[in-house]
């Protein structure tokens, strides 16, 4: 749910299941200034997932095999780019893949999405995303 947050004086995304109560306030409703619809549209399309705001990074994820075919047919963000390529493995096997690049303002949700593809996906950049992804895998492995 996208709402105006009076505490932060700006638009924010709220998860509906986390709303604990609703109350009517004495605050008057003002019709937003001209251009507000454009501001709302920009906010909604600013970055991947529920974490909105000015994208602080551009994330690139590499997908292999079935994952590359799936991702090739999906739109994760209006400004995404898809690049098909291939690489050679140490045993000279040609491995094709798709790289998806999109704006993100927070890595939490994109890491979950990458992990959902298992060994068929890995982040390529930025380095902070790669490090957080590896740290999450290490945490998961520690439970085994």
């Amino acid at each position: 749910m996208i709402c105006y947050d009076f505490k932060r004086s700006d638009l924010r995304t709220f998860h509906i299941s986390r709303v604990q109560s609703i109350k009517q306030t004495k605050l008057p409703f003002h019709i937003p200034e001209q251009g507000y619809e454009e501001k709302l549209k920009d906010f909604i399309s600013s970055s991947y997932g529920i974490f909105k705001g000015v994208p602080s990074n551009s994330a690139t994820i590499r997908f292999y095999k079935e994952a590359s075919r799936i991702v090739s047919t999906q739109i994760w963000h209006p400004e995404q780019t898809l690049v098909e390529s291939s690489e050679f493995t140490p045993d000279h096997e040609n491995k094709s893949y798709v790289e998806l690049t999109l704006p993100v303002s927070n890595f939490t949700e994109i890491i979950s999405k990458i992990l959902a593809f298992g060994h068929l996906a890995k982040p390529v950049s930025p380095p902070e995303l790669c490090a957080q992804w590896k740290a999450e895998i290490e945490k998961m492995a520690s439970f085994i």
Side-chain angles (χ1 to χ4, degrees), residues 30-100:
H30 297 285
I31 296 174
E33 69 273 3
Q34 188 176 5
Y36 196 77
E37 285 184 26
E38 191 65 30
K39 181 179 178 179
L40 182 59
K41 181 182 168 194
D42 290 345
F43 179 82
I44 291 169
S45 65
S46 64
S47 63
Y48 173 77
I50 63 169
F51 296 98
K52 299 296 179 188
V54 177
S56 55
N57 289 291
S58 182
T60 300
I61 305 109
R62 188 173 291 172
F63 297 91
Y64 298 94
K65 298 183 181 181
E66 307 88 57
S68 68
R69 287 188 289 280
I70 292 167
V71 172
S72 295
T73 64
Q74 297 177 340
I75 298 173
W76 291 19
H77 189 273
E79 294 176 22
Q80 74 183 35
T81 60
L82 278 172
V83 177
E84 294 183 29
S85 194
S86 62
E87 64 187 4
F88 287 96
T89 63
D91 58 352
H92 306 291
E93 177 190 354
N94 188 357
K95 222 173 170 182
S96 62
Y97 60 86
V98 167
E99 282 189 354
L100 170 70

Side-chain angles (χ1 to χ4, degrees), residues 100-126:
L100 170 70
T101 302
L102 66 163
V104 294
S105 58
N106 184 300
F107 294 139
T108 305
E109 193 171 359
I110 198 75
I111 288 173
S112 296
K113 191 77 167 177
I114 298 166
L115 291 170
F117 283 98
H119 71 283
L120 299 178
K122 70 176 185 178
V124 176
S125 70

